[in-house]
Amino acid sequence: AQRVTQPEKLLSVFKGAPVELKCNYSYSGSPELFWYVQYSRQRLQLLLRHISRESIKGFTADLNKGETSFHLKKPFAQEEDSAMYYCALSKASGSRLTFGEGTQLTVNP
Amino acid sequence: NAGVTQTPKFQVLKTGQSMTLQCAQDMNHNSMYWYRQDPGMGLRLIYYSASEGTTDKGEVPNGYNVSRLNKREFSLRLESAAPSQTSVYFCASRMQAGVADTQYFGPGTRLTVL
């Protein structure tokens, strides 16, 4: 069975500092990995997915199959980045998403 | 497009009461999902429907039932609510099962069971 682990429940950084939200997964096949973000009292929305190799709002994430990780990074955090971030995994040919526990990011002024 | 809508937004129940959470999507998506969100536990899948006419259990189906009424609507029913079902419930939809695509989420229903 697949599993997603986000080891940090809370992460606090200062504005302008680099930020990295960790995500590790376990799955025997070839997974699809995603990052979702949930701003205060809002619905979850997709931030990025590894197959797109895109940068959204300055965030990037690289799939490291050797380390089974998909860490989310941003070189200069902004206050508006404060939110709950969820890493999620889907089987390449499946429809179910498995979510991690989430990391609450706070960017202090 | 309204996307994914959920009703009600808030609900308070007493232990043993029943209720149905409604979800609808107007994006012609095949797959629909129900999750619950609890602090420190992320989102856990309750039930999902890969296509109209099919439903399957997720990680935490006990105490819930679902109905895929048509392609647009997917309801979640609590037959006898328990305090452990106090949570925020999210509905989501996805274009096609088996395709690496995104899930679109509704605004959530905040349920309290006393």
Side-chain angles (χ1 to χ4, degrees), chain B residues 87-114:
Chain B
S87 187
V88 181
Y89 291 86
F90 286 98
C91 178
S93 70
R94 182 177 184 178
M95 171 59 76
Q96 182 177 345
V99 174
D101 199 354
T102 186
Q103 290 191 12
Y104 295 85
F105 284 82
T109 295
R110 193 170 292 269
L111 176 67
T112 301
V113 182
L114 303 174

Side-chain angles (χ1 to χ4, degrees), chain B residues 34-38 41-46 60 62 64 76 82-90:
Chain B
W34 276 106
Y35 295 90
R36 59 178 291 172
Q37 182 185 41
D38 301 291
M41 304 189 77
L43 278 84
R44 292 179 293 169
L45 183 65
I46 304 171
V60 288
N62 291 346
Y64 305 95
L76 178 72
S84 60
Q85 294 178 305
T86 293
S87 187
V88 181
Y89 291 86
F90 286 98

Side-chain angles (χ1 to χ4, degrees), chain A residues 9 32 34 36 38 41-46 49 51 86 90 92-102, chain B residues 4 31 33 35 37 40-43 45 48 57-59 90 94 97-103 105-107 110:
Chain A
K9 286 187 168 33
E32 302 290 351
F34 306 82
Y36 281 81
Q38 185 181 26
R41 299 280 178 168
Q42 294 186 26
R43 68 184 72 194
L44 275 83
Q45 54 187 290
L46 179 70
R49 48 191 165 190
I51 59 170
Y86 291 98
S90 172
S93 59
S95 64
R96 298 173 54 167
L97 278 175
T98 298
F99 284 86
E101 304 92 338
Chain B
V4 181
S31 303
Y33 309 81
Y35 295 90
Q37 182 185 41
M41 304 189 77
L43 278 84
L45 183 65
Y48 69 104
K57 295 179 179 179
E59 301 172 64
F90 286 98
R94 182 177 184 178
V99 174
D101 199 354
T102 186
Q103 290 191 12
F105 284 82
R110 193 170 292 269

Side-chain angles (χ1 to χ4, degrees), chain B residues 5-109:
Chain B
T5 57
Q6 292 181 235
T7 55
K9 286 187 169 50
F10 302 93
Q11 184 71 51
V12 178
L13 294 176
K14 294 181 180 177
T15 297
Q17 287 185 314
S18 62
M19 79 160 296
T20 300
L21 282 64
Q22 306 287 353
C23 174
Q25 52 90 10
D26 61 2
M27 296 176 283
N28 201 36
H29 285 173
N30 291 325
S31 303
M32 298 185 74
Y33 309 81
W34 276 106
Y35 295 90
R36 59 178 291 172
Q37 182 185 41
D38 301 291
M41 304 189 77
L43 278 84
R44 292 179 293 169
L45 183 65
I46 304 171
Y47 270 94
Y48 69 104
S49 171
S51 62
E52 187 180 355
T54 69
T55 60
D56 286 287
K57 295 179 179 179
E59 301 172 64
V60 288
N62 291 346
Y64 305 95
N65 283 302
V66 290
S67 295
R68 184 72 183 269
L69 304 170
N70 47 56
K71 192 170 187 179
R72 289 187 65 250
E73 299 171 289
F74 188 40
S75 62
L76 178 72
R77 182 160 179 84
L78 286 70
E79 290 291 352
S80 179
S84 60
Q85 294 178 305
T86 293
S87 187
V88 181
Y89 291 86
F90 286 98
C91 178
S93 70
R94 182 177 184 178
M95 171 59 76
Q96 182 177 345
V99 174
D101 199 354
T102 186
Q103 290 191 12
Y104 295 85
F105 284 82
T109 295

Side-chain angles (χ1 to χ4, degrees), chain A residues 43-88:
Chain A
R43 68 184 72 194
L44 275 83
Q45 54 187 290
L46 179 70
L47 182 61
L48 54 81
R49 48 191 165 190
H50 90 273
I51 59 170
S52 301
R53 296 184 178 275
E54 57 202 343
S55 174
I56 303 295
K57 298 184 179 182
F59 285 98
T60 59
D62 290 318
L63 178 60
N64 186 323
K65 291 187 177 181
E67 295 183 358
T68 60
S69 68
F70 188 57
H71 303 328
L72 183 68
K73 300 176 184 178
K74 185 170 183 177
F76 307 103
Q78 303 300 315
E79 290 180 67
E80 56 264 30
D81 296 328
S82 295
M84 178 70 84
Y85 292 81
Y86 291 98
C87 183

